[in-house]
Amino acid sequence: MHATLPHLNTHHFPALTRRSVSTLQVNIGYYCNQACLHCHVNAGPTRKEMMDHETACQVVDFLDASDVGTLDITGGAPELHGEFRFLVTEARRRGIHVMDRCNLTVLELPEMKGLAEFLAENQVEIVASLPCYSSENVDKQRGSGVFDASIQGLQRLNALGYGKADGTLPLHLVFNPIGPALPPDQEALCADYRERLWADFGIEFTDLFCMANLPIHRFGSTLISRRQFDDYMELLKSAHKDENLDQVMCRDLISVDWRGYVYDCDFNQMLDLPLGGHDQPKRHITDLNAEALAGEPISVCGHCYGCTAGQGSSCGGALA
């Protein structure tokens, strides 16, 4: 695995400051039943990092002490971690909206029986990765058989009421380009997804999120191996739009890792860039005051161009 941070440090990115924290994103651990090429977490079946119960309780304490309205749980495959249901249940008990970054195939694992029903009962918003509506492209990026299992997972969620027009149980799909290219127009691609998934499988969904692949960890290392890293960085920088700076997710979100340490976003977490700047000490969630974070500088680096290029990219899809 090639280190990407030395390559990213050579690229200057505009300074950013944060607003008040409205979303707490928790990366509960890096264990996953898949090992996707585009994964910026470098997650997979061999990863052992998982949040323990003490840290999960510290996350809940932070929710109690803040005005955070959304808990965004990610991984790895977050549902495979022992504290996932605890965090969901405690957040919902407090009236906090919960999002689950789901890879879909986890819903079909025998040991995950009842998971879809649990998500529906707790009105968890699902953001599900499906990088294409064709089996060839999905399996190429995510592994053999992933497309069929993903379709089964979507059909299971639809049967529970997810993705319906009433919006009660939101189901968003996520598109990532297969290689070093910017995502296509989100609105147009969403229309294609709706047509194909409905015609071929009778599947409904709420929206499509187009996300650019950031040149870090597994994807960034692959670019370096293929001598495509510099060209991809130039593509991102040439497509940068200043108007996207106001909407990037790090302005209103903080990211917590499996040990409880806090970062400006999940990408910075993977690069081990401390909250508030490269020269800052690491801060733990037990030491944070959410209100005091407003106005602090955000730690930026070359990978941030992946969020501001073209139509922009965030955990909620295109910014434009």
Side-chain angles (χ1 to χ4, degrees), residues 2 8 29-30 36 55 82 153 159-160 165 167 171 180 183 198 202 204 208 212 217 229 238 246 250 291 301 304 317:
H2 297 286
L8 297 168
Y30 307 150
C36 304
T55 307
L160 291 169
L171 170 61
W198 177 254
E204 300 175 86
L208 177 72
H217 268 326
F229 189 93
S238 65
D246 188 56
C250 56
E291 294 181 2
C301 198
C304 300

Side-chain angles (χ1 to χ4, degrees), residues 37-249:
L37 175 62
H38 67 280
C39 181
H40 70 275
V41 180
N42 195 28
T46 63
R47 299 299 296 267
K48 305 299 183 184
E49 302 91 338
M50 295 190 197
M51 182 174 286
D52 60 24
H53 187 65
E54 180 182 1
T55 307
C57 288
Q58 292 166 350
V59 169
V60 174
D61 290 341
F62 181 85
L63 294 175
D64 284 335
S66 71
D67 292 325
V68 167
T70 298
L71 176 64
D72 184 348
I73 309 178
T74 186
E79 307 89 349
L80 292 175
H81 297 268
E83 300 303 319
F84 175 77
R85 298 195 184 205
F86 169 77
L87 286 173
V88 170
T89 302
E90 291 302 313
R92 294 299 298 135
R93 184 175 293 150
R94 289 158 173 79
I96 294 171
H97 180 66
V98 177
M99 300 172 66
D100 173 28
R101 304 277 167 176
C102 181
N103 69 16
L104 291 176
T105 61
V106 71
L107 298 169
E108 300 306 302
L109 297 176
E111 63 268 31
M112 290 291 105
K113 184 178 180 180
L115 171 61
E117 289 77 10
F118 170 80
L119 296 172
E121 289 167 5
N122 285 278
Q123 295 183 301
V124 175
E125 180 177 357
I126 296 178
V127 181
S129 182
L130 188 72
C132 190
Y133 43 70
S134 75
S135 59
E136 180 181 358
N137 286 341
V138 171
D139 287 359
K140 180 179 179 181
Q141 189 181 56
R142 306 183 70 195
S144 178
V146 168
F147 180 77
D148 289 343
S150 298
I151 293 299
Q152 292 169 18
L154 287 171
Q155 291 171 332
R156 184 184 299 273
L157 292 172
N158 275 178
L160 291 169
Y162 272 101
K164 303 299 181 180
D166 62 10
T168 305
L169 293 173
L171 170 61
H172 308 288
L173 303 184
V174 176
F175 168 87
N176 295 89
I178 291 179
L182 291 178
D185 178 78
Q186 180 170 284
E187 185 176 349
L189 186 59
C190 182
D192 290 342
Y193 264 70
R194 287 195 196 283
E195 180 181 352
R196 288 291 301 273
L197 290 177
W198 177 254
D200 294 346
F201 307 105
I203 287 172
E204 300 175 86
F205 62 94
T206 307
D207 208 350
L208 177 72
F209 294 165
C210 284
M211 299 184 187
N213 293 322
L214 268 67
I216 63 176
H217 268 326
R218 190 177 290 147
F219 181 69
S221 179
T222 300
L223 293 179
I224 293 172
S225 296
R226 296 176 179 175
R227 301 183 184 276
Q228 296 175 318
F229 189 93
D230 291 340
D231 288 342
Y232 187 59
M233 280 302 309
E234 288 307 310
L235 171 65
L236 296 179
K237 292 175 69 175
S238 65
H240 166 78
K241 293 183 178 179
D242 281 340
E243 54 264 39
N244 288 331
L245 291 170
D246 188 56
Q247 301 179 70
V248 288
M249 59 187 176

